[in-house]
Amino acid sequence: MKKKLLILNGPGLSDLSVYDEFYGNISLETIEKKSKEVCKELNLELDFRQTDDEDELFGFLLKDSEKFDAVIINPVGYSHALTAEFARYRLAIKTLTLQKKPVTEVHIANIFKQGSDITKPLQVPEGEMGFVSGLGVYSYVIAINAISKKLNQHT
Amino acid sequence: MKVYVINGPNINLLGTREPEIYGYETLDDIAKKCIENGNKKGIDVKFMQSNYEGELVGWIQDAIINKIDAIVINAAAYTHTSIAIHDAFKSFSGFKIELHISNPHLRESFRHITYVAPAADAVVAGLGADGYSHVIDLLSDLPIKIN
């Protein structure tokens, strides 16, 4: 049976015009198109979503979790915020990893380059989780390749 | 395209050191796969490992002198301590990827600071030993300036 992958994009990712030219003319549409191509090659069923609504974001992750086998999430600021939102994100990811669903966090830009505080630790949730940051649309591609390999090992 | 894959301390123990975290593949297995995958895509991969911080710095400087196009570095424990590697890495103008087999941010708090990542273009972590070949496979698709 075809494995199902959820790619979930968080608040603000509908407009990618802020990214510099290294990433090319990147848009959510080009990311979706490329992700679809790669998933097709790897025989994965793709559900590609974006939401600006926090409740909807966590709803997709938790309430719909029986509908997919793996998740790639671009959480935007959630991974480096020391806030209640981060606690919520952490819990959602932990729930997924406890269900043995492979999860990889992706970012378009290298988030470590943003901000000058080199010693500020990045907040990433517990549990097994991959992390790719700074490869533009290829952050998604590498995550899909890695998740496909992981899903094939599990079966 | 010419690429250096530089590995730091204890990576030579792969396959035997805490395999539940780092996997059962040895560094030789990974090196072989990277060089093979690189060859298929016309990428010249040089794979290195050292337990000495200064040697890692030296190899980054060699990459500058030899006009290498990209560096993939797994500085291992030095990631969290080495300003020398940070400085050398900053001086390298090619494409720079920090790589980790596990995800350091999910482990002990002393691994949460990275001096390498802010000097890098990209970070790939937690994809297991396969992370190396996933990165090599993608290099030719990235908009990397070739010397």
Side-chain angles (χ1 to χ4, degrees), chain A residues 22-23 104 110 112-113 118-119 121-122 124-135 138 141-142 145-146 149 153, chain B residues 33 86 95 97 103 105-106 112-115 117-127 130 134-135 138 141-143:
Chain A
F22 173 77
Y23 301 104
T104 296
N110 177 4
F112 296 95
K113 262 188 177 172
I118 196 171
T119 58
L122 176 72
V124 178
E126 293 164 44
E128 261 190 55
M129 188 184 197
F131 179 88
V132 186
S133 178
L135 295 173
Y138 292 100
V141 174
I142 208 166
N145 285 329
K149 193 145 189 208
Q153 279 165 355
Chain B
K33 210 194 270 174
H86 171 89
F95 196 75
I97 299 180
N103 187 338
H105 299 288
L106 304 183
H112 291 183
I113 291 167
T114 163
Y115 289 98
D121 294 297
V123 179
V124 175
L127 304 183
D130 289 334
H134 285 311
V135 166
L138 267 182
D141 292 328
L142 294 172

Side-chain angles (χ1 to χ4, degrees), chain B residues 48-143:
Chain B
M48 299 164 250
Q49 189 273 333
S50 175
N51 294 327
Y52 298 94
E53 186 176 3
E55 193 156 20
L56 302 176
V57 171
W59 285 335
I60 298 169
Q61 293 183 4
D62 288 348
I64 299 170
I65 295 162
N66 298 332
K67 295 191 162 52
I68 297 306
D69 303 299
I71 293 178
V72 179
I73 189 164
N74 181 351
Y78 290 135
T79 306
H80 322 294
T81 61
S82 178
I83 299 168
I85 291 174
H86 171 89
D87 287 345
F89 213 39
K90 254 189 158 168
S91 309
F92 173 73
S93 60
F95 196 75
K96 296 168 267 199
I97 299 180
E98 176 186 20
L99 183 135
H100 296 283
I101 293 169
S102 65
N103 187 338
H105 299 288
L106 304 183
R107 301 179 60 203
E108 305 94 326
S109 60
F110 56 79
R111 292 184 212 274
H112 291 183
I113 291 167
T114 163
Y115 289 98
V116 178
D121 294 297
V123 179
V124 175
L127 304 183
D130 289 334
Y132 287 90
S133 45
H134 285 311
V135 166
I136 298 293
D137 287 345
L138 267 182
L139 281 176
S140 54
D141 292 328
L142 294 172

Side-chain angles (χ1 to χ4, degrees), chain A residues 3-7 44 61 65 68-73 92-105 127-131 143-155, chain B residues 126-127:
Chain A
K3 299 278 187 181
K4 288 176 190 155
L5 170 66
L6 170 69
I7 297 184
L44 285 170
L61 283 179
S65 71
F68 49 80
D69 302 293
V71 186
I72 292 170
I73 180 163
I93 299 299
K94 199 172 177 181
T95 307
L96 292 171
T97 52
L98 284 174
Q99 296 168 23
K100 303 272 176 225
K101 292 189 204 285
V103 181
T104 296
E105 178 175 317
E128 261 190 55
M129 188 184 197
F131 179 88
I144 297 169
N145 285 329
I147 275 184
S148 162
K149 193 145 189 208
K150 230 176 182 179
L151 287 173
N152 289 331
Q153 279 165 355
H154 281 186
T155 47
Chain B
L127 304 183

